[in-house]
Amino acid sequence: MTSRVLNLVLKRLGIAAVTLLIVLFAVFFATSMLPGDTASILLGQAATPEAVAGLREAMHLNDPAILRFLRWLLGLLHGDLGTSYANDMPVAALIGGRLINTMKLAGITTLLAVPLALTLGITAAMLRGSVYDRTVTIVSIGVISVPEFMVATLAVLLFAVYLRWLPALSSVNEAHSLADLVRIYAMPVITLTFVISAQMIRMTRAAVIETLSTPYVEMALLKGASRSRMVLKHALPNALGPIVNAVGLSLSYLVGGVIIVETIFNYPGIAKLMVDAVATRDLPLIQSCAMIFCLGYLLLITAADIIAIMSNPRLR
């Protein structure tokens, strides 16, 4: 690694650290401004004003916001996510199992979507202008135009209501065999794959086409290299940076998509946990879940940028 590449990588990591601090600040104050009083919601409508005031004092809700933010940030630095208001349990204990479920869903989707999207994007670029290319382009643009909740709703209507092939809800605790797991994960994975693959196909196709139009690739073609050799040996290694960026950006859509998918299919992941926490104004739980989503998004984007920097031949 050259000193120039090292400097760029360190600079990118520094930007990521500053961005994370700004995001933590935004997450804390955005959740603090949610309508409704946490103490009143937890105690119910029959609570007396004295009881509500006492609970607010006990939960430090009367402290200035900046003091609560610094206390929360200090806890995060020590690995303490706080205690859930609604469940009176450590937030880390509530999130643990749910986070694993979400990572399983995201992992299975990634294993399916990335090879599929790269194959379609690269082959569409190789056959640019053909019927195959136009079909892939039209379908991917069509999928991009449809929001995640619509894809999920159509999947439920088709596979669960009309065909009765798959369950409408993804209750992973009811899985007793591999076949059950496949049926339970099928619709959430199909929905997320549709959403992120379309973006990835478009960006991969554009990156490969741009590389194919460079002079050294055209020179390889004039020297008699076959089209497949020209793409695999000359174009793809130089398009690696843009392709990795495309994969990273597309996978970042998982962060938003998984919230909708887990809610619609009642999948027991961290996004469903956060949505339930909003109903009870469980601020420590909401803030921790939101922070994890933002951190995941930031890690994906930063990793994609670093790989793009390290794979750029002009920086070596």
Side-chain angles (χ1 to χ4, degrees):
M1 183 185 298
T2 64
S3 59
R4 187 180 177 192
V5 173
L6 182 61
N7 287 334
L8 287 173
V9 170
L10 291 176
K11 185 178 178 182
R12 189 63 188 86
L13 290 175
I15 293 173
V18 174
T19 306
L20 179 61
L21 187 61
I22 295 172
V23 166
L24 290 178
F25 185 83
V27 164
F28 182 87
F29 284 97
T31 52
S32 297
M33 288 190 289
L34 284 173
D37 181 72
T38 304
S40 300
I41 293 172
L42 291 176
L43 291 176
Q45 295 182 349
T48 63
E50 292 77 14
V52 173
L55 184 58
R56 285 185 61 81
E57 188 66 29
M59 294 166 66
H60 304 289
L61 295 176
N62 294 325
D63 292 348
I66 188 66
L67 182 61
R68 286 185 283 127
F69 172 70
L70 292 175
R71 191 183 295 136
W72 180 60
L73 192 60
L74 189 63
L76 290 181
L77 292 174
H78 288 85
D80 180 15
L81 299 179
T83 302
S84 165
Y85 291 162
N87 300 282
D88 196 22
M89 288 177 60
V91 170
L94 288 170
I95 286 179
R98 297 296 193 97
L99 181 59
I100 291 173
N101 284 342
T102 297
M103 290 179 71
K104 284 180 184 173
L105 179 59
I108 294 171
T109 303
T110 302
L111 289 176
L112 182 64
V114 172
L116 175 69
L118 292 185
T119 302
L120 291 175
I122 292 170
T123 51
M126 291 172 64
L127 302 172
R128 186 182 183 188
S130 65
V131 175
Y132 172 78
D133 177 36
R134 286 198 290 270
T135 304
V136 171
T137 301
I138 292 171
V139 172
S140 58
I141 290 175
V143 172
I144 290 172
S145 308
V146 181
E148 295 94 333
F149 73 87
M150 183 64 75
V151 175
T153 305
L154 290 175
V156 170
L157 283 174
L158 178 62
F159 295 112
V161 177
Y162 291 110
L163 299 176
R164 298 179 184 276
W165 289 351
L166 300 170
L169 301 179
S170 298
S171 304
V172 292
N173 296 328
E174 297 176 4
H176 303 294
S177 65
L178 181 61
D180 289 343
L181 273 178
V182 171
R183 293 181 74 246
I184 287 170
Y185 274 99
M187 281 209 286
V189 170
I190 289 173
T191 303
L192 288 173
T193 300
F194 257 74
V195 173
I196 66 170
S197 294
Q199 295 278 0
M200 218 182 306
I201 290 169
R202 295 285 301 152
M203 289 190 281
T204 302
R205 177 183 176 276
V208 175
I209 285 177
E210 184 179 350
T211 309
L212 286 174
S213 63
T214 53
Y216 65 89
V217 175
E218 291 176 353
M219 181 61 70
L221 185 63
L222 291 175
K223 287 184 176 179
S226 64
R227 195 160 186 81
S228 58
R229 179 181 172 82
M230 182 180 67
V231 172
L232 296 175
K233 188 172 176 59
H234 299 283
L236 276 183
N238 292 287
L240 183 62
I243 290 176
V244 170
N245 254 323
V247 172
L249 285 172
S250 300
L251 290 181
S252 66
Y253 283 95
L254 275 175
V255 177
V258 79
I259 296 176
I260 296 168
V261 167
E262 287 188 5
T263 304
I264 290 179
F265 295 111
N266 200 33
Y267 182 82
I270 189 173
K272 181 70 169 57
L273 182 68
M274 186 174 74
V275 172
D276 293 341
V278 172
T280 57
R281 302 297 186 273
D282 196 344
L283 296 184
L285 189 53
I286 299 171
Q287 289 159 354
S288 298
C289 292
M291 180 200 67
I292 290 172
F293 278 117
C294 295
L295 185 61
Y297 184 90
L298 198 56
L299 285 175
L300 277 173
I301 299 298
T302 304
D305 284 350
I306 290 175
I307 293 174
I309 290 171
M310 297 180 70
S311 62
N312 189 339
R314 285 172 293 186
L315 298 175
R316 294 176 194 154

